[in-house]
Amino acid sequence: MSVMRVLVSGGAGYIGSHTVVRLVAAGHDVVIVDSFANAKPTVVGRLEALTGTDLPVHAFDLTDKDKTERLFATEKFDAVIHFAGLKAVGESVQIPLDYYVNNLESTFSLLRAMRRHGCDLLVFSSSATVYGEVAPVPYQEDYEPLSASSPYGRTKVMIEHVLRDVAGIDERLKVAMLRYFNPVGAHPSGTIGEDPQGIPNNLMPFVAQVAVGRRERLQVFGGDYPTADGTAERDYIHVEDLAAGHVAALQWIASHDRKVSTWNLGGGRGTSVLQVVAAFEKASGMPVPYDIVGRREGDLAAYWADPSRANAELGWRAERTIDEMCADTWRWQRANPDGYPD
Ligand code: UDP
């Protein structure tokens, strides 16, 4: 395996930061670009402590074409892992244009700079949301047509199409689209983790904030789904497994000729909201009081990945259990009750 110099966009964010640690551990040189619109600069010091290296950081938004061009003109990258983007589903309904402009333009700007400067490997953060509302469960990569029920999700669908089209006619560009299921957990050190600003939209950080006393009660959205306990089921995946999946995907596309690769990164099983609550209470020893309320608009009853393609091709699988996901989330939450310092 050859050592690569990798630009990680959104490298200060939740999944990006965990992937940076794994990339360095695998021997790669990492450069971060992050706008810090949704991440605290203090994460960088934590990453340097964890990796024992200096991490070059460029603080700008990739929608700035001139700065992106200048970065690629002055530094040589073998690959880009592109995490940067707006990601709150509910917010994307309120400010759709911001989502389309930000997520699409940053990708266009990156792609242009990559083509101009001979950077030929791109790993993109896609999402299980591209399977839409009627795909059969478990989700398989070949399913078409892609669709999504929020502007956020539609940016992922659109970017997948863009990357497929561009790589299809480009002599050298190779892309990997990684469709994430529900990333949770934190680095086992407890020094980096998910740090949502404001009220968390996602289940695990909300549960963690209830357990640590920052919020009073969890609202469980829907108790009448056609599932074993009536609450919705998702495929939770430890962010450490997810990070390992990025490194495996990058190394795979670097050493194979296939132009476009799509891999589900999930565990292949569903866990209900109430199972998450029970696992978190066990891991933390803290009560997580909840009320069952109405369904959240746009939510599906149950879905999970068929991860067999990633298993077979990458030799990768999600290894960590829901108990480990909760234990690691709790270690991070307890040590950093208010997230990263300013
Ligand atoms: N959920 C919940 N209460 C919350 C947040 C989420 O009951 O405060 C449920 C949500 O309805 C879904 C599951 O937890 O069934 C996972 O939600 P999340 O937003 O984390 O991920 P998504 O389902 O949007 O991928």
Side-chain angles (χ1 to χ4, degrees):
M1 195 271 306
S2 60
V3 169
M4 287 179 261
R5 185 165 162 78
V6 186
L7 180 67
V8 181
S9 86
Y14 174 43
I15 304 169
S17 59
H18 289 79
T19 302
V20 165
V21 176
R22 287 268 160 169
L23 285 166
V24 173
H28 300 295
D29 280 336
V30 173
V31 176
I32 292 171
V33 58
D34 201 298
S35 71
F36 294 97
N38 192 28
K40 298 261 180 70
T42 47
V43 71
V44 177
R46 305 265 180 111
L47 288 173
E48 291 184 330
L50 273 179
T51 58
T53 54
D54 284 337
L55 293 167
V57 177
H58 298 270
F60 68 87
D61 196 305
L62 290 166
T63 55
D64 186 328
K65 290 191 203 71
D66 295 337
K67 286 188 177 153
T68 306
E69 167 60 24
R70 221 170 302 145
L71 176 62
F72 278 79
T74 49
E75 300 204 31
K76 171 106 186 88
F77 303 111
D78 301 302
V80 176
I81 305 185
H82 181 33
F83 293 100
L86 302 177
K87 63 170 187 179
V89 175
E91 183 186 63
S92 80
V93 177
Q94 301 305 319
I95 50 169
L97 190 56
D98 291 38
Y99 272 67
Y100 288 115
V101 168
N102 186 288
N103 291 1
L104 291 165
E105 284 192 353
S106 59
T107 306
F108 297 155
S109 161
L110 254 182
L111 269 177
R112 281 232 187 269
M114 289 177 69
R115 297 337 297 133
R116 271 199 207 100
H117 298 284
C119 176
D120 297 329
L121 302 174
L122 176 63
V123 176
F124 173 63
S125 298
S126 189
S127 165
T129 193
V130 304
Y131 290 107
E133 295 185 4
V134 296
V137 175
Y139 291 164
Q140 293 182 315
E141 289 91 345
D142 287 337
Y143 177 82
E144 285 185 60
L146 302 184
S147 69
S149 52
S150 71
Y152 159 77
R154 284 189 279 272
T155 69
K156 297 295 180 191
V157 172
M158 289 175 183
I159 293 167
E160 283 210 16
H161 287 304
V162 169
L163 296 181
R164 197 172 291 279
D165 289 346
V166 174
I169 50 84
D170 191 290
E171 293 250 306
R172 300 174 58 93
L173 182 66
K174 291 186 277 187
V175 302
M177 277 139 359
L178 303 184
R179 295 182 179 157
Y180 310 156
F181 284 70
N182 287 58
V184 297
H187 189 274
S189 66
T191 62
I192 60 170
E194 188 171 13
D195 182 20
Q197 306 301 300
I199 301 170
N201 300 306
N202 297 111
L203 178 64
M204 187 66 87
F206 200 106
V207 167
Q209 290 192 6
V210 173
V212 84
R214 240 173 108 175
R215 309 199 179 268
E216 254 175 45
R217 301 175 78 78
L218 169 72
Q219 293 193 319
V220 173
F221 299 138
D224 58 351
Y225 284 108
T227 58
D229 65 20
T231 64
E233 294 179 1
R234 295 288 180 275
D235 186 344
Y236 297 93
I237 173 172
H238 198 299
V239 67
E240 286 282 290
D241 284 329
L242 195 55
H246 286 73
V247 178
L250 175 61
Q251 291 174 176
W252 195 95
I253 64 170
S255 57
H256 291 77
D257 290 333
R258 197 163 73 203
K259 306 287 297 168
V260 179
S261 300
T262 308
W263 287 295
N264 283 338
L265 296 184
R269 74 197 100 68
T271 302
S272 75
V273 175
L274 291 184
Q275 286 174 324
V276 170
V277 170
F280 206 92
E281 287 184 323
K282 190 171 84 175
S284 65
M286 304 299 283
V288 178
Y290 64 85
D291 300 302
I292 297 186
V293 301
R295 295 179 179 188
R296 183 171 68 180
E297 205 186 317
D299 273 354
L300 301 179
Y303 63 83
W304 52 90
D306 176 346
S308 53
R309 183 186 287 179
N311 294 168
E313 293 184 338
L314 304 178
W316 171 92
R317 62 183 67 244
E319 287 166 355
R320 292 165 179 80
T321 63
I322 191 73
D323 291 339
E324 291 171 271
M325 300 179 212
C326 292
D328 289 334
T329 301
W330 178 239
R331 194 174 303 107
W332 152 254
Q333 183 69 63
R334 200 183 33 185
N336 306 270
D338 299 312
Y340 292 110
D342 285 321

